[in-house]
Amino acid sequence: MHASIQDAAGGGGSGSRNGNQSRKVMVVADPTRESAGALQYALAHAVVDHDELILLHVENPNSWRNTLSTILKMPSLGSSTTASMDVGGGSTGGRGGSGAVVEGEGVDFLEEMKHACKGAQPKVKVRAMKVEIDKDRATTILFHSKTQKVDVIVIGQKRNITSALLGYRRSGGGSMKGARMIDTAEYLIQHSTCTCVAVQRKGQHGGYVLNTKTQRNFWLLA
């Protein structure tokens, strides 16, 4: 029942892919519920043993959203295999490393994500990347997905007016005239040369709503 979307995403979840061909899966990592849901989906449905999982965090030093990072709390990924990542409920400090620190909580969320990945998929190679924004978030993610030669991009998506306002602004021909707002995930879906899966987590046990270039609003049970 779920074969079509999992095949498109290089899916698996356990075991090995046919031909034992490993893949690179990039998850856009942020201290948000949407990002946590995307990572949970990737661990359960997009990677198998011996794949490589890249956690990409895009920093914008000039963004007002970085100020909000001081009060953001990373939620639990919501499964027994990733329970150690419950940094939203008062984690006992970070594990070192060079990732972005969520101030006020003392938690390096990239290290927490890596730790959760190792707990859920111990045979998957995991590494974190922290990059500064170049022009805009969407094209920065797209650039690094190409340079890293990833096979699948997984990004959390929140469909509301806020995501539209904070998403990628694109104009035809580079002019601001006639510009329109487009969600970062939608931009990646439309312009990525590899498969991009936008993930909306529907509650603790409600599964996921997935969007790709070929599948829209695909409901996947948890």
PDB file of all heavy atoms in Angstrom, residues 90-127:
ATOM      1  N   GLY A  90      13.352  18.625  28.509  1.00  0.00           N
ATOM      2  CA  GLY A  90      14.347  18.842  29.540  1.00  0.00           C
ATOM      3  C   GLY A  90      15.476  17.862  29.461  1.00  0.00           C
ATOM      4  O   GLY A  90      15.710  17.094  30.387  1.00  0.00           O
ATOM      5  N   SER A  91      16.179  17.840  28.326  1.00  0.00           N
ATOM      6  CA  SER A  91      17.318  16.962  28.176  1.00  0.00           C
ATOM      7  C   SER A  91      18.433  17.394  29.100  1.00  0.00           C
ATOM      8  O   SER A  91      18.562  18.550  29.458  1.00  0.00           O
ATOM      9  CB  SER A  91      17.806  17.004  26.724  1.00  0.00           C
ATOM     10  OG  SER A  91      18.979  16.274  26.569  1.00  0.00           O
ATOM     11  N   THR A  92      19.287  16.455  29.473  1.00  0.00           N
ATOM     12  CA  THR A  92      20.360  16.746  30.413  1.00  0.00           C
ATOM     13  C   THR A  92      21.610  17.167  29.700  1.00  0.00           C
ATOM     14  O   THR A  92      22.654  16.537  29.793  1.00  0.00           O
ATOM     15  CB  THR A  92      20.655  15.505  31.276  1.00  0.00           C
ATOM     16  OG1 THR A  92      20.985  14.419  30.392  1.00  0.00           O
ATOM     17  CG2 THR A  92      19.470  15.146  32.122  1.00  0.00           C
ATOM     18  N   GLY A  93      21.483  18.212  28.893  1.00  0.00           N
ATOM     19  CA  GLY A  93      22.678  18.798  28.289  1.00  0.00           C
ATOM     20  C   GLY A  93      23.047  18.176  26.986  1.00  0.00           C
ATOM     21  O   GLY A  93      22.602  17.098  26.629  1.00  0.00           O
ATOM     22  N   GLY A  94      23.925  18.867  26.223  1.00  0.00           N
ATOM     23  CA  GLY A  94      24.361  18.403  24.918  1.00  0.00           C
ATOM     24  C   GLY A  94      25.483  17.418  25.026  1.00  0.00           C
ATOM     25  O   GLY A  94      25.969  17.088  26.094  1.00  0.00           O
ATOM     26  N   ARG A  95      25.944  16.959  23.841  1.00  0.00           N
ATOM     27  CA  ARG A  95      27.000  15.975  23.779  1.00  0.00           C
ATOM     28  C   ARG A  95      28.224  16.515  23.085  1.00  0.00           C
ATOM     29  O   ARG A  95      28.955  15.797  22.441  1.00  0.00           O
ATOM     30  CB  ARG A  95      26.497  14.721  23.064  1.00  0.00           C
ATOM     31  CG  ARG A  95      25.493  13.967  23.915  1.00  0.00           C
ATOM     32  CD  ARG A  95      24.942  12.772  23.171  1.00  0.00           C
ATOM     33  NE  ARG A  95      24.127  11.967  24.053  1.00  0.00           N
ATOM     34  CZ  ARG A  95      22.893  12.251  24.414  1.00  0.00           C
ATOM     35  NH1 ARG A  95      22.310  13.341  23.977  1.00  0.00           N
ATOM     36  NH2 ARG A  95      22.225  11.467  25.225  1.00  0.00           N
ATOM     37  N   GLY A  96      28.384  17.825  23.121  1.00  0.00           N
ATOM     38  CA  GLY A  96      29.564  18.417  22.503  1.00  0.00           C
ATOM     39  C   GLY A  96      29.390  18.538  21.012  1.00  0.00           C
ATOM     40  O   GLY A  96      28.312  18.390  20.471  1.00  0.00           O
ATOM     41  N   GLY A  97      30.497  18.809  20.280  1.00  0.00           N
ATOM     42  CA  GLY A  97      30.433  18.958  18.845  1.00  0.00           C
ATOM     43  C   GLY A  97      30.306  20.408  18.461  1.00  0.00           C
ATOM     44  O   GLY A  97      30.327  21.308  19.288  1.00  0.00           O
ATOM     45  N   SER A  98      30.145  20.650  17.151  1.00  0.00           N
ATOM     46  CA  SER A  98      30.161  22.026  16.654  1.00  0.00           C
ATOM     47  C   SER A  98      28.811  22.488  16.135  1.00  0.00           C
ATOM     48  O   SER A  98      28.720  23.475  15.442  1.00  0.00           O
ATOM     49  CB  SER A  98      31.197  22.136  15.523  1.00  0.00           C
ATOM     50  OG  SER A  98      30.879  21.241  14.484  1.00  0.00           O
ATOM     51  N   GLY A  99      27.736  21.751  16.440  1.00  0.00           N
ATOM     52  CA  GLY A  99      26.425  22.142  15.946  1.00  0.00           C
ATOM     53  C   GLY A  99      25.902  23.364  16.671  1.00  0.00           C
ATOM     54  O   GLY A  99      26.432  23.821  17.678  1.00  0.00           O
ATOM     55  N   ALA A 100      24.786  23.890  16.135  1.00  0.00           N
ATOM     56  CA  ALA A 100      24.199  25.084  16.726  1.00  0.00           C
ATOM     57  C   ALA A 100      23.566  24.739  18.062  1.00  0.00           C
ATOM     58  O   ALA A 100      22.832  23.782  18.184  1.00  0.00           O
ATOM     59  CB  ALA A 100      23.142  25.655  15.783  1.00  0.00           C
ATOM     60  N   VAL A 101      23.839  25.516  19.069  1.00  0.00           N
ATOM     61  CA  VAL A 101      23.328  25.257  20.403  1.00  0.00           C
ATOM     62  C   VAL A 101      22.017  25.994  20.601  1.00  0.00           C
ATOM     63  O   VAL A 101      21.887  27.159  20.257  1.00  0.00           O
ATOM     64  CB  VAL A 101      24.346  25.717  21.475  1.00  0.00           C
ATOM     65  CG1 VAL A 101      23.758  25.583  22.869  1.00  0.00           C
ATOM     66  CG2 VAL A 101      25.627  24.906  21.355  1.00  0.00           C
ATOM     67  N   VAL A 102      21.026  25.294  21.143  1.00  0.00           N
ATOM     68  CA  VAL A 102      19.770  25.934  21.508  1.00  0.00           C
ATOM     69  C   VAL A 102      19.984  26.583  22.859  1.00  0.00           C
ATOM     70  O   VAL A 102      20.012  25.916  23.886  1.00  0.00           O
ATOM     71  CB  VAL A 102      18.619  24.908  21.571  1.00  0.00           C
ATOM     72  CG1 VAL A 102      17.307  25.606  21.900  1.00  0.00           C
ATOM     73  CG2 VAL A 102      18.503  24.173  20.247  1.00  0.00           C
ATOM     74  N   GLU A 103      20.154  27.880  22.871  1.00  0.00           N
ATOM     75  CA  GLU A 103      20.498  28.590  24.090  1.00  0.00           C
ATOM     76  C   GLU A 103      19.374  28.484  25.106  1.00  0.00           C
ATOM     77  O   GLU A 103      18.203  28.403  24.760  1.00  0.00           O
ATOM     78  CB  GLU A 103      20.783  30.063  23.776  1.00  0.00           C
ATOM     79  CG  GLU A 103      21.953  30.246  22.837  1.00  0.00           C
ATOM     80  CD  GLU A 103      22.137  31.695  22.449  1.00  0.00           C
ATOM     81  OE1 GLU A 103      21.545  32.571  23.099  1.00  0.00           O
ATOM     82  OE2 GLU A 103      22.879  31.947  21.491  1.00  0.00           O
ATOM     83  N   GLY A 104      19.757  28.472  26.359  1.00  0.00           N
ATOM     84  CA  GLY A 104      18.764  28.378  27.414  1.00  0.00           C
ATOM     85  C   GLY A 104      18.464  26.947  27.788  1.00  0.00           C
ATOM     86  O   GLY A 104      18.017  26.663  28.876  1.00  0.00           O
ATOM     87  N   GLU A 105      18.697  26.002  26.863  1.00  0.00           N
ATOM     88  CA  GLU A 105      18.475  24.601  27.146  1.00  0.00           C
ATOM     89  C   GLU A 105      19.785  23.853  27.307  1.00  0.00           C
ATOM     90  O   GLU A 105      19.827  22.766  27.829  1.00  0.00           O
ATOM     91  CB  GLU A 105      17.658  23.944  26.009  1.00  0.00           C
ATOM     92  CG  GLU A 105      16.238  24.435  25.914  1.00  0.00           C
ATOM     93  CD  GLU A 105      15.423  24.071  27.138  1.00  0.00           C
ATOM     94  OE1 GLU A 105      15.402  22.886  27.512  1.00  0.00           O
ATOM     95  OE2 GLU A 105      14.827  24.977  27.730  1.00  0.00           O
ATOM     96  N   GLY A 106      20.895  24.431  26.822  1.00  0.00           N
ATOM     97  CA  GLY A 106      22.182  23.772  26.914  1.00  0.00           C
ATOM     98  C   GLY A 106      22.254  22.540  26.035  1.00  0.00           C
ATOM     99  O   GLY A 106      22.978  21.595  26.344  1.00  0.00           O
ATOM    100  N   VAL A 107      21.490  22.521  24.961  1.00  0.00           N
ATOM    101  CA  VAL A 107      21.394  21.332  24.126  1.00  0.00           C
ATOM    102  C   VAL A 107      21.880  21.639  22.721  1.00  0.00           C
ATOM    103  O   VAL A 107      21.431  22.600  22.106  1.00  0.00           O
ATOM    104  CB  VAL A 107      19.934  20.818  24.067  1.00  0.00           C
ATOM    105  CG1 VAL A 107      19.811  19.693  23.059  1.00  0.00           C
ATOM    106  CG2 VAL A 107      19.494  20.347  25.434  1.00  0.00           C
ATOM    107  N   ASP A 108      22.801  20.852  22.228  1.00  0.00           N
ATOM    108  CA  ASP A 108      23.223  20.921  20.839  1.00  0.00           C
ATOM    109  C   ASP A 108      22.286  20.011  20.056  1.00  0.00           C
ATOM    110  O   ASP A 108      22.421  18.793  20.092  1.00  0.00           O
ATOM    111  CB  ASP A 108      24.679  20.452  20.747  1.00  0.00           C
ATOM    112  CG  ASP A 108      25.240  20.540  19.346  1.00  0.00           C
ATOM    113  OD1 ASP A 108      24.461  20.376  18.389  1.00  0.00           O
ATOM    114  OD2 ASP A 108      26.445  20.768  19.214  1.00  0.00           O
ATOM    115  N   PHE A 109      21.305  20.600  19.381  1.00  0.00           N
ATOM    116  CA  PHE A 109      20.263  19.766  18.783  1.00  0.00           C
ATOM    117  C   PHE A 109      20.795  18.878  17.668  1.00  0.00           C
ATOM    118  O   PHE A 109      20.260  17.791  17.432  1.00  0.00           O
ATOM    119  CB  PHE A 109      19.085  20.627  18.304  1.00  0.00           C
ATOM    120  CG  PHE A 109      19.320  21.392  17.038  1.00  0.00           C
ATOM    121  CD1 PHE A 109      19.075  20.814  15.804  1.00  0.00           C
ATOM    122  CD2 PHE A 109      19.777  22.702  17.081  1.00  0.00           C
ATOM    123  CE1 PHE A 109      19.275  21.524  14.637  1.00  0.00           C
ATOM    124  CE2 PHE A 109      19.985  23.411  15.923  1.00  0.00           C
ATOM    125  CZ  PHE A 109      19.741  22.828  14.695  1.00  0.00           C
ATOM    126  N   LEU A 110      21.846  19.301  16.957  1.00  0.00           N
ATOM    127  CA  LEU A 110      22.412  18.436  15.923  1.00  0.00           C
ATOM    128  C   LEU A 110      23.033  17.188  16.542  1.00  0.00           C
ATOM    129  O   LEU A 110      22.894  16.080  16.007  1.00  0.00           O
ATOM    130  CB  LEU A 110      23.457  19.202  15.106  1.00  0.00           C
ATOM    131  CG  LEU A 110      22.914  20.206  14.092  1.00  0.00           C
ATOM    132  CD1 LEU A 110      24.064  20.934  13.408  1.00  0.00           C
ATOM    133  CD2 LEU A 110      22.041  19.522  13.049  1.00  0.00           C
ATOM    134  N   GLU A 111      23.714  17.357  17.665  1.00  0.00           N
ATOM    135  CA  GLU A 111      24.281  16.191  18.344  1.00  0.00           C
ATOM    136  C   GLU A 111      23.179  15.294  18.889  1.00  0.00           C
ATOM    137  O   GLU A 111      23.307  14.061  18.876  1.00  0.00           O
ATOM    138  CB  GLU A 111      25.214  16.647  19.474  1.00  0.00           C
ATOM    139  CG  GLU A 111      26.532  17.235  18.993  1.00  0.00           C
ATOM    140  CD  GLU A 111      27.351  16.262  18.158  1.00  0.00           C
ATOM    141  OE1 GLU A 111      27.420  15.072  18.537  1.00  0.00           O
ATOM    142  OE2 GLU A 111      27.886  16.674  17.123  1.00  0.00           O
ATOM    143  N   GLU A 112      22.100  15.887  19.382  1.00  0.00           N
ATOM    144  CA  GLU A 112      20.970  15.089  19.854  1.00  0.00           C
ATOM    145  C   GLU A 112      20.342  14.311  18.700  1.00  0.00           C
ATOM    146  O   GLU A 112      19.939  13.158  18.847  1.00  0.00           O
ATOM    147  CB  GLU A 112      19.926  15.992  20.523  1.00  0.00           C
ATOM    148  CG  GLU A 112      20.369  16.580  21.843  1.00  0.00           C
ATOM    149  CD  GLU A 112      20.529  15.527  22.923  1.00  0.00           C
ATOM    150  OE1 GLU A 112      19.775  14.532  22.915  1.00  0.00           O
ATOM    151  OE2 GLU A 112      21.408  15.695  23.779  1.00  0.00           O
ATOM    152  N   MET A 113      20.240  14.950  17.543  1.00  0.00           N
ATOM    153  CA  MET A 113      19.708  14.267  16.371  1.00  0.00           C
ATOM    154  C   MET A 113      20.605  13.097  15.967  1.00  0.00           C
ATOM    155  O   MET A 113      20.121  12.002  15.658  1.00  0.00           O
ATOM    156  CB  MET A 113      19.565  15.249  15.207  1.00  0.00           C
ATOM    157  CG  MET A 113      18.349  16.148  15.286  1.00  0.00           C
ATOM    158  SD  MET A 113      18.205  17.175  13.790  1.00  0.00           S
ATOM    159  CE  MET A 113      16.480  17.661  13.895  1.00  0.00           C
ATOM    160  N   LYS A 114      21.914  13.324  15.958  1.00  0.00           N
ATOM    161  CA  LYS A 114      22.852  12.255  15.619  1.00  0.00           C
ATOM    162  C   LYS A 114      22.728  11.095  16.597  1.00  0.00           C
ATOM    163  O   LYS A 114      22.746   9.931  16.202  1.00  0.00           O
ATOM    164  CB  LYS A 114      24.282  12.792  15.615  1.00  0.00           C
ATOM    165  CG  LYS A 114      24.624  13.690  14.443  1.00  0.00           C
ATOM    166  CD  LYS A 114      26.007  14.294  14.572  1.00  0.00           C
ATOM    167  CE  LYS A 114      27.090  13.244  14.538  1.00  0.00           C
ATOM    168  NZ  LYS A 114      28.444  13.851  14.607  1.00  0.00           N
ATOM    169  N   HIS A 115      22.599  11.413  17.867  1.00  0.00           N
ATOM    170  CA  HIS A 115      22.466  10.381  18.892  1.00  0.00           C
ATOM    171  C   HIS A 115      21.188   9.570  18.668  1.00  0.00           C
ATOM    172  O   HIS A 115      21.183   8.339  18.780  1.00  0.00           O
ATOM    173  CB  HIS A 115      22.448  11.035  20.265  1.00  0.00           C
ATOM    174  CG  HIS A 115      22.336  10.067  21.400  1.00  0.00           C
ATOM    175  ND1 HIS A 115      23.384   9.270  21.805  1.00  0.00           N
ATOM    176  CD2 HIS A 115      21.287   9.755  22.210  1.00  0.00           C
ATOM    177  CE1 HIS A 115      22.991   8.509  22.816  1.00  0.00           C
ATOM    178  NE2 HIS A 115      21.723   8.789  23.081  1.00  0.00           N
ATOM    179  N   ALA A 116      20.087  10.268  18.344  1.00  0.00           N
ATOM    180  CA  ALA A 116      18.828   9.582  18.083  1.00  0.00           C
ATOM    181  C   ALA A 116      18.930   8.681  16.859  1.00  0.00           C
ATOM    182  O   ALA A 116      18.388   7.573  16.831  1.00  0.00           O
ATOM    183  CB  ALA A 116      17.709  10.605  17.890  1.00  0.00           C
ATOM    184  N   CYS A 117      19.632   9.165  15.832  1.00  0.00           N
ATOM    185  CA  CYS A 117      19.813   8.368  14.616  1.00  0.00           C
ATOM    186  C   CYS A 117      20.576   7.081  14.907  1.00  0.00           C
ATOM    187  O   CYS A 117      20.232   6.005  14.403  1.00  0.00           O
ATOM    188  CB  CYS A 117      20.562   9.173  13.557  1.00  0.00           C
ATOM    189  SG  CYS A 117      19.638  10.573  12.899  1.00  0.00           S
ATOM    190  N   LYS A 118      21.618   7.194  15.706  1.00  0.00           N
ATOM    191  CA  LYS A 118      22.419   6.017  16.040  1.00  0.00           C
ATOM    192  C   LYS A 118      21.609   5.016  16.845  1.00  0.00           C
ATOM    193  O   LYS A 118      21.782   3.805  16.705  1.00  0.00           O
ATOM    194  CB  LYS A 118      23.673   6.442  16.820  1.00  0.00           C
ATOM    195  CG  LYS A 118      24.728   7.124  15.955  1.00  0.00           C
ATOM    196  CD  LYS A 118      25.222   6.204  14.850  1.00  0.00           C
ATOM    197  CE  LYS A 118      26.315   6.850  14.020  1.00  0.00           C
ATOM    198  NZ  LYS A 118      26.737   5.956  12.901  1.00  0.00           N
ATOM    199  N   GLY A 119      20.713   5.530  17.685  1.00  0.00           N
ATOM    200  CA  GLY A 119      19.867   4.627  18.445  1.00  0.00           C
ATOM    201  C   GLY A 119      18.847   3.915  17.583  1.00  0.00           C
ATOM    202  O   GLY A 119      18.542   2.742  17.795  1.00  0.00           O
ATOM    203  N   ALA A 120      18.301   4.621  16.594  1.00  0.00           N
ATOM    204  CA  ALA A 120      17.261   4.048  15.743  1.00  0.00           C
ATOM    205  C   ALA A 120      17.833   3.212  14.606  1.00  0.00           C
ATOM    206  O   ALA A 120      17.259   2.189  14.225  1.00  0.00           O
ATOM    207  CB  ALA A 120      16.385   5.165  15.179  1.00  0.00           C
ATOM    208  N   GLN A 121      18.956   3.659  14.027  1.00  0.00           N
ATOM    209  CA  GLN A 121      19.551   2.993  12.873  1.00  0.00           C
ATOM    210  C   GLN A 121      21.071   2.888  13.090  1.00  0.00           C
ATOM    211  O   GLN A 121      21.843   3.638  12.501  1.00  0.00           O
ATOM    212  CB  GLN A 121      19.252   3.773  11.588  1.00  0.00           C
ATOM    213  CG  GLN A 121      17.798   3.777  11.165  1.00  0.00           C
ATOM    214  CD  GLN A 121      17.406   2.476  10.464  1.00  0.00           C
ATOM    215  OE1 GLN A 121      18.182   1.531  10.384  1.00  0.00           O
ATOM    216  NE2 GLN A 121      16.196   2.433   9.939  1.00  0.00           N
ATOM    217  N   PRO A 122      21.520   1.965  13.925  1.00  0.00           N
ATOM    218  CA  PRO A 122      22.945   1.886  14.265  1.00  0.00           C
ATOM    219  C   PRO A 122      23.869   1.559  13.102  1.00  0.00           C
ATOM    220  O   PRO A 122      25.067   1.829  13.173  1.00  0.00           O
ATOM    221  CB  PRO A 122      22.996   0.781  15.337  1.00  0.00           C
ATOM    222  CG  PRO A 122      21.737  -0.009  15.146  1.00  0.00           C
ATOM    223  CD  PRO A 122      20.715   0.964  14.656  1.00  0.00           C
ATOM    224  N   LYS A 123      23.324   0.999  12.026  1.00  0.00           N
ATOM    225  CA  LYS A 123      24.153   0.626  10.884  1.00  0.00           C
ATOM    226  C   LYS A 123      24.139   1.676   9.777  1.00  0.00           C
ATOM    227  O   LYS A 123      24.674   1.443   8.694  1.00  0.00           O
ATOM    228  CB  LYS A 123      23.712  -0.729  10.320  1.00  0.00           C
ATOM    229  CG  LYS A 123      23.960  -1.881  11.274  1.00  0.00           C
ATOM    230  CD  LYS A 123      23.610  -3.218  10.643  1.00  0.00           C
ATOM    231  CE  LYS A 123      23.881  -4.372  11.605  1.00  0.00           C
ATOM    232  NZ  LYS A 123      23.559  -5.685  10.989  1.00  0.00           N
ATOM    233  N   VAL A 124      23.512   2.813  10.059  1.00  0.00           N
ATOM    234  CA  VAL A 124      23.477   3.920   9.102  1.00  0.00           C
ATOM    235  C   VAL A 124      24.549   4.927   9.494  1.00  0.00           C
ATOM    236  O   VAL A 124      24.643   5.329  10.655  1.00  0.00           O
ATOM    237  CB  VAL A 124      22.094   4.588   9.072  1.00  0.00           C
ATOM    238  CG1 VAL A 124      22.121   5.871   8.252  1.00  0.00           C
ATOM    239  CG2 VAL A 124      21.053   3.629   8.499  1.00  0.00           C
ATOM    240  N   LYS A 125      25.358   5.348   8.534  1.00  0.00           N
ATOM    241  CA  LYS A 125      26.367   6.374   8.788  1.00  0.00           C
ATOM    242  C   LYS A 125      25.675   7.728   8.899  1.00  0.00           C
ATOM    243  O   LYS A 125      24.906   8.107   8.028  1.00  0.00           O
ATOM    244  CB  LYS A 125      27.391   6.405   7.653  1.00  0.00           C
ATOM    245  CG  LYS A 125      28.482   7.453   7.825  1.00  0.00           C
ATOM    246  CD  LYS A 125      29.440   7.447   6.651  1.00  0.00           C
ATOM    247  CE  LYS A 125      30.495   8.545   6.783  1.00  0.00           C
ATOM    248  NZ  LYS A 125      31.414   8.570   5.615  1.00  0.00           N
ATOM    249  N   VAL A 126      25.966   8.461   9.968  1.00  0.00           N
ATOM    250  CA  VAL A 126      25.309   9.748  10.206  1.00  0.00           C
ATOM    251  C   VAL A 126      26.359  10.833  10.357  1.00  0.00           C
ATOM    252  O   VAL A 126      27.347  10.656  11.072  1.00  0.00           O
ATOM    253  CB  VAL A 126      24.440   9.704  11.487  1.00  0.00           C
ATOM    254  CG1 VAL A 126      23.729  11.041  11.680  1.00  0.00           C
ATOM    255  CG2 VAL A 126      23.438   8.566  11.413  1.00  0.00           C
ATOM    256  N   ARG A 127      26.150  11.943   9.675  1.00  0.00           N
ATOM    257  CA  ARG A 127      27.013  13.102   9.885  1.00  0.00           C
ATOM    258  C   ARG A 127      26.173  14.374   9.787  1.00  0.00           C
ATOM    259  O   ARG A 127      25.143  14.400   9.112  1.00  0.00           O
ATOM    260  CB  ARG A 127      28.174  13.151   8.896  1.00  0.00           C
ATOM    261  CG  ARG A 127      27.823  13.219   7.434  1.00  0.00           C
ATOM    262  CD  ARG A 127      29.082  13.048   6.587  1.00  0.00           C
ATOM    263  NE  ARG A 127      28.795  12.962   5.172  1.00  0.00           N
ATOM    264  CZ  ARG A 127      28.865  13.985   4.336  1.00  0.00           C
ATOM    265  NH1 ARG A 127      29.220  15.185   4.790  1.00  0.00           N
ATOM    266  NH2 ARG A 127      28.603  13.835   3.057  1.00  0.00           N
TER     267      ARG A 127
END
